Amino acid sequence: MTTTLTADIRWSIPTSLSLKEGTNTGQACFTVPSGITVLIGPSGSGKTTLMRMITGLSDITAGKLTLQGQNIAALPAYRRQIGYVPQSPTLFPHMSVRANILYGAKKDTDISFLVNELSLPDLLDRKPSSLSGGEARRVAIARALVSSPRLMLYDEPTSGLDPVKRASTLSLIRTVSRNHNVPAIVSTHLIDDMMPIADYALLMDNQSVVLEGSLEDVLDAPETTEVLGLEDGGSLIAAQITGEDNGLIEVSLGGQPLWLSGASRTTGDHVHMRIRARDVAIAKDRPENISINNCLAVTVQDLKPASTETIVTMLVAETDTVLKARITQKSATALALKPGDACFALIKAVAVWHRED
Amino acid sequence: MITPAEGQALWLSVKVALVAVTVALPFAVFVAYAFARWSFPFKSFLNVLVHIPLVVPPVVIGYLLLVTTTPTSKFGGWLSDLGLNPSFTWGAAAIASGVMAFPLMVRAVRQAFESQPIALTEIAETLGASRYRRFLTINLPLAVPGILTATVLGFGRAIGEFGATITFAANIPGVTQTLPLALYTAAQSPGGEEAAFRLTLLCLIPAVISLITSEWLTRRHYFRNEQR
């Protein structure tokens, strides 16, 4: 993968109106490849600030920003060619949707393909005030793409959307990034959202980029679990579909079947699954007559106490697939778990994403 | 019936107010934008300066204009060399009206600029728009209602201007005698009650026309922008 953006920057933002009262200093040092990069971090961790530094709307105090080999740190925002879709769509209220889309376009730009791609044909002559939130967001995306950006930045594109619209917005981002061959950075505090679209990940905490790497590596890292809180701890597993039955699909992990609900998948497809630690229970013996479909033989690798709970790291038998479970310390004591124990992981729910690559 | 002198006063008033507002408006828009969006040294001092005509007696403004432009003063001498001597001409009435209307116009436009979300121009900037283009395509069109308000307020203020005008331009019938000055003269003369009444009614004409025009323009703007 080619390098899109390298950053080694520091910034400082006043936190109060009175001068010199307090400043938030932040720093980031990372390299983003082509494709889609997700910027993960809790609310207030500085994701929007970092995006504004990259667009040039806020100033950095020191450092270097290199976009496709060009140092852009000294360029004003309007000469950086970076498309920015902020959290609220911010359409120009006095212009039609068409005029909004064409705002950053060169003369005689043909927008028909993009307009169809984003299902906007019927909206072109409307005024922004008559659009729904999702429509406005699609217009904002089209408007940024038409300005021929070298990089797209999406700030929390799924905030305020229901789960169905979230999924469609994300697949749209992936589609347009591919079709127009524009790398993108997408920020979110909802980690589950980004899984189906991201290739690379940056983890942000307390005004700094603390970790970068492939999505899998970043999600597996203990820092991520810690920064995002236990709720989001879990494991990411890649697998291939081996069968279907009654609307469920089957994947195989080291010969053990795992049944997932996932319509419109076909045998042979590659999927990514995220199994959250809180959705995994542990049994010493294989339970019989139980509603949970999925029961995998595992070996306990490690136990880590976390406040009143214990995070148990396990290896699925015959594989190097890691699974995590979050159980109460009481249960951990009752089961007398220790590394090397063979037991069974009961999985209540699995989130599945389909990726073409 | 209206006498020719009264008709002349009406026409002079409208001419003076139109010229005053037309010349002052671009400056008012520029100053309003600068105050709303830029930070620069002596900003609050300049803000006070712009607002002075609003708070000091108009006669003071008229007097200051008179002494700065009189040919014996430095600036007035320079103007005189250029062949300009504004005092006691209808141009002086226009300058006096423009100066008096200026702060009102700046306030109305400034409020329009300040109410615009900065995010709009930021987005325009990421779309490649220079500062100049952002102003012309985003700030200015969105400030149109405020600019209309400023125009009407300014016109009304200019039509009604009295103190600065009588000091700077004097009360010369047919030359600088605008409606308020003519009304003042009529009210001072014995037996002038009837003329004063007619002039009072005449004063209403431009005021009502400007209010109706502004209402119509605002409505048109509103319907064009919001109703779809």
Side-chain angles (χ1 to χ4, degrees):
Chain A
M1 278 195 277
T2 51
T3 299
T4 292
L5 178 77
T6 56
D8 181 1
I9 53 175
R10 278 165 297 290
W11 63 85
S12 140
I13 303 227
T15 49
S16 75
L17 287 174
S18 50
L19 296 169
K20 312 262 185 260
E21 265 294 291
T23 50
N24 252 340
T25 54
Q27 58 99 25
C29 182
F30 58 86
T31 302
V32 167
S34 59
I36 296 183
T37 298
V38 55
L39 176 62
I40 320 166
S43 300
S45 57
K47 301 188 293 292
T48 300
T49 307
L50 176 60
M51 285 202 162
R52 288 177 60 88
M53 305 286 158
I54 298 173
T55 59
L57 293 175
S58 299
D59 292 331
I60 59 174
T61 45
K64 243 180 116 170
L65 260 175
T66 311
L67 178 62
Q68 291 165 352
Q70 184 197 13
N71 186 4
I72 57 166
L75 286 182
Y78 72 92
R79 292 183 53 199
R80 289 194 186 186
Q81 286 179 277
I82 295 177
Y84 180 43
V85 182
Q87 201 168 342
S88 77
T90 323
L91 301 181
F92 305 130
H94 57 304
M95 298 181 193
S96 67
V97 166
R98 186 195 309 275
N100 264 280
I101 294 175
L102 284 170
Y103 189 85
K106 291 191 186 71
K107 255 197 174 156
D108 302 322
T109 303
D110 183 11
I111 56 166
S112 52
F113 177 73
L114 187 70
V115 162
N116 283 321
E117 196 176 30
L118 291 162
S119 358
L120 299 171
D122 300 335
L123 307 178
L124 286 179
D125 295 317
R126 302 245 304 260
K127 282 281 175 187
S129 53
S130 72
L131 302 182
S132 74
E135 288 168 343
R137 215 172 288 234
R138 294 208 305 277
V139 175
I141 293 174
R143 179 177 62 180
L145 279 168
V146 168
S147 67
S148 30
R150 297 186 283 179
L151 170 68
M152 283 286 285
L153 302 178
Y154 298 89
D155 195 358
E156 302 259 2
T158 57
S159 70
L161 296 179
D162 63 56
V164 176
K165 288 223 180 74
R166 287 221 297 264
S168 64
T169 303
L170 290 169
S171 74
L172 195 69
I173 290 174
R174 185 161 185 89
T175 311
V176 295
S177 299
R178 287 213 165 158
N179 291 352
H180 300 264
N181 198 20
V182 187
I185 301 178
V186 186
S187 80
T188 184
H189 65 279
L190 297 168
I191 188 167
D192 285 353
D193 266 2
M194 290 306 143
M195 311 272 305
I197 69 163
D199 306 302
Y200 199 77
L202 303 173
L203 177 68
M204 209 163 176
D205 184 31
N206 200 15
Q207 314 299 318
S208 303
V209 170
V210 292
L211 191 67
E212 66 171 306
S214 71
L215 183 67
E216 285 80 357
D217 289 349
V218 169
L219 286 182
D220 269 346
E223 291 96 320
T224 308
T225 316
E226 198 183 307
V227 167
L228 297 176
L230 288 175
E231 293 291 324
D232 282 299
S235 34
L236 184 74
I237 298 166
Q240 198 173 12
I241 297 176
T242 50
E244 331 171 35
D245 182 31
N246 266 337
L248 293 180
I249 53 173
E250 183 199 44
V251 300
S252 165
L253 286 179
Q256 301 189 71
L258 191 58
W259 290 95
L260 320 163
S261 56
S264 72
R265 312 266 194 257
T266 40
T267 304
D269 275 359
H270 286 275
V271 290
H272 279 71
M273 301 172 287
R274 179 166 158 73
I275 303 179
R276 286 181 298 197
R278 62 174 150 163
D279 289 334
V280 179
I282 299 174
K284 274 265 168 145
D285 311 299
R286 181 180 284 274
E288 305 287 336
N289 306 322
I290 179 166
S291 72
I292 293 176
N293 270 324
N294 294 310
C295 175
L296 297 173
V298 295
T299 315
V300 175
Q301 271 201 311
D302 178 42
L303 295 137
K304 204 162 88 187
S307 65
T308 61
E309 286 161 323
T310 301
I311 303 293
V312 185
T313 308
M314 300 158 292
L315 216 51
V316 178
E318 314 284 324
T319 67
D320 53 6
T321 302
V322 175
L323 204 58
K324 284 179 186 162
R326 175 177 157 218
I327 58 177
T328 58
Q329 254 169 27
K330 188 167 171 283
S331 312
T333 317
L335 288 172
L337 288 175
K338 56 184 190 303
D341 279 0
C343 49
F344 295 89
L346 307 173
I347 302 163
K348 281 176 264 187
V350 182
V352 188
W353 295 281
H354 177 74
R355 293 214 299 197
E356 295 123 45
D357 45 7
Chain B
M1 266 320 287
I2 304 168
T3 66
E6 289 160 9
Q8 211 169 22
L10 171 66
W11 161 238
L12 187 66
S13 278
V14 171
K15 180 168 86 172
V16 161
L18 280 178
V19 168
V21 168
T22 312
V23 174
L25 190 62
F27 292 101
V29 170
F30 173 78
V31 169
Y33 185 77
F35 280 140
R37 283 289 182 266
W38 299 343
S39 52
F40 44 88
F42 306 113
K43 185 171 168 178
S44 33
F45 172 74
L46 289 170
N47 192 27
V48 168
L49 199 68
V50 164
H51 281 89
I52 277 182
L54 214 53
V55 288
V56 302
V59 178
V60 173
I61 301 299
Y63 178 69
L64 288 175
L65 285 170
L66 188 65
V67 295
T68 45
T69 59
T70 187
T72 52
S73 75
K74 205 169 179 192
F75 180 65
W78 181 71
L79 279 181
S80 183
D81 290 345
L82 291 171
L84 298 170
N85 187 10
S87 343
F88 315 123
T89 63
W90 75 268
I95 293 172
S97 305
V99 168
M100 293 306 297
F102 193 68
L104 279 175
M105 297 169 74
V106 169
R107 286 178 79 85
V109 182
R110 178 179 178 171
Q111 207 168 29
F113 282 133
E114 278 174 344
S115 66
Q116 297 172 1
I118 291 183
L120 290 175
T121 39
E122 285 186 344
I123 279 295
E125 190 172 0
T126 66
L127 294 168
S130 62
R131 179 187 288 238
Y132 180 64
R133 184 167 175 230
R134 296 198 296 273
F135 178 75
L136 285 184
T137 57
I138 310 292
N139 300 118
L140 202 56
L142 285 174
V144 163
I147 292 172
L148 286 177
T149 307
T151 309
V152 173
L153 278 177
F155 187 76
R157 184 69 189 82
I159 278 277
E161 167 45 37
F162 179 85
T165 309
I166 202 167
T167 319
F168 185 33
N171 188 358
I172 309 165
V175 183
T176 66
Q177 195 179 66
T178 57
L179 280 177
L181 301 188
L183 175 55
Y184 169 76
T185 308
Q188 297 288 306
S189 349
E193 291 83 3
E194 212 177 301
F197 182 68
R198 283 198 304 275
L199 286 163
T200 306
L201 290 182
L202 280 185
C203 280
L204 288 173
I205 294 175
V208 170
I209 290 177
S210 71
L211 275 178
I212 291 174
T213 314
S214 118
E215 189 71 6
W216 178 70
L217 285 173
T218 314
R219 230 168 239 266
R220 217 176 74 130
H221 184 82
Y222 176 82
F223 279 105
R224 226 180 31 203
N225 279 324
E226 307 293 333
Q227 287 305 87
R228 291 180 76 159

